[in-house]
Amino acid sequence: MSESVEINHELDTSGLLCPEPVMMLHNKVRDMKPGETVKVTATDPSTQRDIPKFCNFLDHELLSHEQVEKHYIYLIRKQEKTD
């Protein structure tokens, strides 16, 4: 995980299964300001597919993704666009 990136929000979706982690991420990102970052922790392996697709579809930046034991950790920056 990049140590130089400030984490503004954290979202723990451990124990939740598809589609809940992405739904919770969508709600969290909606409340964030452009340019802010969120660290997401998940245990559902399907997030490895779903979260990158979510970021790509909505133009959010997936800064990093790593697996630590049975946890998937994502760092996402909300898009800078305001339109």
Side-chain angles (χ1 to χ4, degrees):
M1 200 83 34
S2 178
E3 295 177 20
S4 63
V5 176
E6 178 184 353
I7 297 171
N8 305 108
H9 305 272
E10 292 197 32
L11 180 62
D12 186 357
T13 66
S14 298
L16 300 177
L17 299 174
C18 180
E20 290 176 291
V22 172
M23 290 171 52
M24 290 179 66
L25 174 58
H26 188 70
N27 289 336
K28 174 60 83 177
V29 168
R30 189 179 298 145
D31 295 336
M32 292 168 47
K33 296 177 185 171
E36 287 186 334
T37 59
V38 59
K39 176 183 173 184
V40 180
T41 303
T43 52
D44 183 357
S46 69
T47 60
Q48 295 178 92
R49 174 198 65 226
D50 297 341
I51 288 182
K53 285 184 175 184
F54 168 85
C55 291
N56 187 50
F57 184 73
L58 294 174
D59 293 326
H60 300 306
E61 185 178 359
L62 180 58
L63 300 172
S64 66
H65 166 221
E66 66 180 333
Q67 182 175 351
V68 179
E69 296 180 10
K70 294 184 179 184
H71 288 87
Y72 305 95
I73 302 169
Y74 305 88
L75 186 57
I76 300 160
R77 177 177 290 132
K78 183 173 180 169
Q79 66 176 330
E80 296 280 348
K81 294 185 250 178
T82 57
D83 49 40

